[in-house]
Amino acid sequence: MNPTPVHVAIIMDGNGRWASQRGLKRSEGHKAGAESVRKALKAAMAAEVRVLTLYAFSTENWGRPQDEVQGLFELLSRYLESEADELLRRGVRLSAIGDIEAMPAPVRDGLAAAEATAMNEAITLNLALSYGSRAELARAARLLADEVRRGARTVESITPEAVEQKLWTNLLPDPDLLIRTGGDMRASNFLLWQCAYTELYFTPTLWPDFGEDDFAAALEEYGRRERRYGLCGA
Ligand code: IPE
Ligand code: IPE
Ligand code: MG
């Protein structure tokens, strides 16, 4: 029924449980999860998905033990460093959403190095880092209020489109499909505005176990959905 989704977003959840099930430390789960990122990107490219947004670190994740947070950032900067050339070569444009300024320097440097991928067009790999929808919407409200205060816009000009322009995702289409691994069925402060009409797909598979076949299965299920957008349908 549906063609390939243009934008797929993923809440990559279940790394910690994957590790505990094996008697390993949570950090081992995150390490294994990084491998799944490579697989998901490969599968998305094979399916000609144009944007892949990955929820890598939420505003709430700052509340985890410091060594876990630190470990996640190290993994992230290592991923960016080791993959930079490969991403460039394969036509991947790297981008990020969230409070990037809050990220430690090695992560910010890794992202800055990825600016070399700006002209790439095969796929956009969009990382959500220190991302929270509520922070994003509050920021949009502040930016709009400031423009009103400066006389740069009227109160009446604040439409959904105007709000959208102030979101971190302003240059991206809304996700067509949101996948959450790990079995929980909640949004966890991810793309709340953008997912107004996104198809949701939940799987019990833990993120480190999520492979190319699982990605293909999600796309297949998406293909069977009827998107009505509040209208009457077929
Ligand atoms: C997702 O896995 C990764 C991040 C949130 C960074 P979790 O670490 O949340 O794993 P579980 O949910 O505890 O199993
Ligand atoms: C969502 O997973 C955040 C990321 C995957 C980065 P969490 O594990 O943080 O979400 P909750 O706590 O289960 O809602
Ligand atoms: Mg979790």
Side-chain angles (χ1 to χ4, degrees), residues 58-232:
S58 75
T59 48
E60 288 72 27
N61 289 152
W62 285 105
R64 294 192 180 193
Q66 216 193 326
D67 61 334
E68 177 165 353
V69 172
Q70 198 51 41
L72 277 166
F73 292 159
E74 273 164 28
L75 208 65
L76 196 60
S77 52
R78 229 177 301 142
Y79 173 85
L80 292 171
E81 205 184 305
S82 68
E83 297 296 294
D85 288 347
E86 177 82 0
L87 296 179
L88 188 61
R89 203 150 31 82
R90 286 165 63 203
V92 180
R93 189 177 81 89
L94 190 75
S95 68
I97 54 171
D99 184 9
I100 304 307
E101 296 300 304
M103 287 284 113
V107 174
R108 277 185 283 122
D109 292 348
L111 290 171
E115 266 168 29
T117 67
M119 303 302 280
N120 277 349
E121 288 184 336
I123 192 169
T124 296
L125 175 62
N126 184 38
L127 302 178
L129 302 172
S130 193
Y131 176 87
S133 273
R134 289 179 172 182
E136 179 182 41
L137 285 163
R139 174 178 171 274
R142 280 196 304 278
L143 294 172
L144 290 167
D146 190 54
E147 289 182 5
V148 172
R149 181 173 56 192
R150 287 189 282 110
R153 71 158 63 243
T154 62
V155 167
E156 291 71 28
S157 76
I158 301 177
T159 57
E161 292 72 26
V163 173
E164 247 152 36
Q165 281 170 14
K166 303 298 182 192
L167 299 179
W168 283 312
T169 52
N170 69 332
L171 298 172
L172 301 171
D174 286 340
D176 300 291
L177 172 66
L178 172 67
I179 298 171
R180 182 174 185 141
T181 63
D184 288 310
M185 298 188 198
R186 53 176 171 259
S188 300
N189 203 10
F190 190 47
L191 303 176
L192 300 181
W193 170 287
Q194 296 86 342
C195 284
Y197 273 102
T198 298
E199 294 299 321
L200 309 179
Y201 180 89
F202 299 100
T203 169
T205 303
L206 303 172
W207 179 247
D209 290 327
F210 193 84
E212 289 164 59
D213 292 349
D214 300 290
F215 190 90
L219 256 52
E220 214 177 286
E221 157 82 23
Y222 169 83
R224 288 191 292 269
R225 302 270 181 94
E226 188 192 4
R227 303 184 77 181
R228 288 188 291 278
Y229 300 98
L231 307 181
C232 298

Side-chain angles (χ1 to χ4, degrees), residues 42 49 57 65 110 114 132 167 192 208 217:
K42 195 166 162 215
V49 167
F57 192 80
L167 299 179
L192 300 181

Side-chain angles (χ1 to χ4, degrees), residues 30-45:
H30 296 314
K31 211 160 108 187
E35 204 42 55
S36 290
V37 168
R38 292 186 182 90
K39 289 182 193 156
L41 178 62
K42 195 166 162 215
M45 291 184 82

